Amino acid sequence: MPNVIGYHAHVYFDPSTRSDAERLRDTIVSKFAVEPGGFSDEPRGPHPISQFNVMFQAGEFQSIVPWLMLNRAGLDVLIHPLTEDMVDDHSVYALWLGTPVALKLDTMQRRGYGAALLPAALAHEARQG
Ligand code: ZN
């Protein structure tokens, strides 16, 4: 079984739901032990539409994921693990709340993540080897 070093939750939005996404992001950041990642209106990497992400360690999964199931404000959410294979993370290992978005899997390589995409404590451990 691959080693899971944390998770991302990506929340997708469009111009008409951007304010819902901003509110949801603020609530998540205030309620849970997450690190906010980028809020991008433009397509980025495998994400073909606007999204923001938050990063969290494995221990926070049981708190944030059940909450998101009930409080996603109608927005589509991708939750994916952080393993050493980001292609699998965004496809075979992906968990979707709502309607899956067709991701651009060919923009990724089969490897792990740079420090900017890992929760800080874990990125620090990764740098220490
Ligand atoms: Zn991600």
Side-chain angles (χ1 to χ4, degrees):
M1 194 177 100
N3 187 35
V4 175
I5 56 176
Y7 295 88
H8 288 174
H10 293 268
V11 178
Y12 298 90
F13 61 90
D14 63 26
S16 72
T17 56
R18 193 183 202 284
S19 60
D20 296 329
E22 289 172 355
R23 261 195 308 278
L24 181 59
R25 184 176 187 271
D26 289 346
T27 305
I28 291 170
V29 169
S30 70
K31 286 181 78 75
F32 299 101
V34 300
E35 295 175 37
F39 199 102
S40 66
D41 289 302
E42 302 300 319
R44 179 187 286 182
H47 310 288
I49 60 173
S50 306
Q51 50 87 33
F52 73 82
N53 78 71
V54 296
M55 303 177 260
F56 51 96
Q57 297 187 36
E60 193 67 2
F61 185 97
Q62 64 192 30
S63 300
I64 186 169
V65 174
W67 185 89
L68 267 175
M69 285 177 177
L70 303 177
N71 295 281
R72 60 189 173 82
L75 301 171
D76 297 320
V77 180
L78 163 66
I79 296 153
H80 70 79
L82 303 171
T83 74
E84 290 301 315
D85 187 332
M86 61 172 77
V87 175
D88 281 350
D89 290 350
H90 290 75
S91 54
V92 293
Y93 303 147
L95 169 66
W96 287 92
L97 306 179
T99 304
V101 172
L103 300 178
K104 296 189 283 187
L105 297 175
D106 61 358
T107 62
M108 295 179 292
Q109 297 174 352
R110 290 192 176 277
R111 58 175 176 76
Y113 301 81
L117 291 174
L118 296 174
L122 301 169
H124 181 71
E125 283 171 22
R127 279 197 302 276
Q128 302 299 307

